[in-house]
Amino acid sequence: MTYTAPTGGQQRGTERITPPFHVGPAGPWHPVREGLARQGNAVVHTTWGEWLPVALTDPALRPMLGRDWQRYRGTVDPAARYRFVASRLAVKYTAAAALDADPAELDLSYKIGGRPYLRGFGQIDISLSHTDDVIAVGVSLHGRIGVDAEPADRHMSFDLLQGHMCTPAERAELAALPAEERGAAMLRLWTLKEAYTKALGQGLRMGFTEFGFDVDGPELLAPDGSRAARGEWAFATHRVLGRYLISVACHDSGLDPARDTRVSTMLDAGFMAAVAEVLDAGSPPA
């Protein structure tokens, strides 16, 4: 099932978020560039077990991980260690597909709070989520992106959680649902809120009762149920692998999704801008 937010008159009635697709180390990776070219974003999902052979046998793993190598080697629990390396490899391979680059050439770093980003490529926003054996990675050229993955059978108690995660408008809508439907509706709301706060770079630091969504759709709402955005945000929720929900939040900052994102092109453009700045600084005043 897919939910798409209203677009405020821009691309109304069309899908603004590329549906998540499954990848492994061998891909397929071309849908990443296709999604970026069409809609400015792409979301992939994979499982950490698919990346285990790479983690165990690739002699280039250390340069591939870069600054994450020490954390990888310092993680004592084998399962946690390989989940960690799989998630970082998935991010690098996804970003490399977006940039038409070698994954080992990319320098993955982290902002305060742990949000990943690529040094030298601020044009591309990245979000990572993992739970159990699934990993989800989102990339965007439009602006901020956030992804969240949760097991579809995760139990959500309305009685216990409504005061911690629901706005008054959401509580009223959920209370009106049949009891057997509330848990699934709350889980979808939870993943949307996680995705949105990740896109904002806030994570769980932002209270989930400060904003809401339609129970039947993903329009961003104020606590009283009024609209809180005018089309700059798009949201979607998908079921993948038959047992997980992935929600995506994308912000449209008005950037052109059709521009060339190959790493050589981006670097050339930056280099030329730097050269122009030096030349301008050395020119005599008019």
Side-chain angles (χ1 to χ4, degrees):
M1 183 175 293
T2 304
Y3 305 85
T4 304
T7 63
Q10 300 178 4
Q11 302 180 36
R12 183 176 294 276
T14 63
E15 179 66 71
R16 294 171 59 195
I17 297 178
T18 305
F21 59 92
H22 184 249
V23 298
W29 294 107
H30 63 88
V32 172
R33 290 192 60 80
E34 292 172 357
L36 290 173
R38 286 195 311 268
Q39 292 152 307
N41 58 72
V43 181
V44 305
H45 63 87
T46 187
T47 59
W48 73 273
E50 295 173 79
W51 298 82
L52 189 57
V54 177
L56 291 174
T57 63
D58 190 348
L61 183 62
R62 182 168 186 170
M64 175 73 76
L65 288 179
R67 67 185 68 247
D68 281 325
W69 175 255
Q70 293 301 325
R71 180 174 172 183
Y72 165 66
R73 293 293 296 169
T75 303
V76 177
D77 179 70
R81 183 165 64 246
Y82 291 123
R83 286 189 179 96
F84 173 79
V85 73
S87 66
R88 270 54 187 179
L89 290 174
V91 169
K92 280 204 166 185
Y93 273 65
T94 304
L99 294 165
D100 194 21
D102 184 331
E105 296 175 352
L106 303 179
D107 186 5
L108 186 65
S109 192
Y110 304 92
K111 299 178 182 179
I112 296 175
R115 183 179 177 83
Y117 73 97
L118 295 175
R119 287 182 175 268
F121 296 98
Q123 305 95 325
I124 290 187
D125 198 50
I126 300 173
S127 183
L128 166 69
S129 181
H130 50 88
T131 183
D132 292 349
D133 65 342
V134 74
I135 299 166
V137 181
V139 292
S140 175
L141 296 177
H142 277 166
R144 289 297 193 97
I145 188 170
V147 297
D148 183 59
E150 298 289 345
D153 62 355
R154 178 179 175 183
H155 177 66
M156 304 287 284
S157 170
F158 177 68
D159 293 335
L160 293 177
L161 296 174
Q162 59 171 314
H164 301 284
M165 63 164 283
C166 298
T167 65
E170 287 173 330
R171 289 200 298 270
E173 283 195 81
L174 289 166
L177 290 177
E180 63 273 14
E181 296 180 14
R182 284 186 201 136
M186 287 189 67
L187 180 60
R188 187 181 66 81
L189 290 175
W190 177 272
T191 61
L192 286 169
K193 292 189 178 200
E194 284 269 21
Y196 178 57
T197 55
K198 286 181 179 180
L200 294 175
Q202 295 297 312
L204 292 175
R205 294 188 300 276
M206 183 175 180
F208 279 8
T209 60
E210 297 175 21
F211 63 97
F213 292 94
D214 280 329
V215 169
D216 294 327
E219 184 174 2
L220 185 64
L221 303 176
D224 63 0
S226 61
R227 293 185 66 181
R230 290 179 289 183
E232 66 271 25
W233 283 95
F235 303 89
T237 301
H238 295 265
R239 192 180 184 107
V240 303
L241 301 177
R243 60 188 187 278
Y244 295 103
L245 289 186
I246 292 179
S247 280
V248 187
C250 276
H251 181 255
D252 186 350
S253 59
L255 298 175
D256 179 11
R259 70 184 187 277
D260 193 345
T261 61
R262 288 174 297 176
V263 64
S264 58
T265 305
M266 285 189 169
L267 290 177
D268 288 347
F271 175 73
M272 292 306 296
V275 170
E277 184 176 346
V278 171
L279 292 176
D280 289 342
S283 299

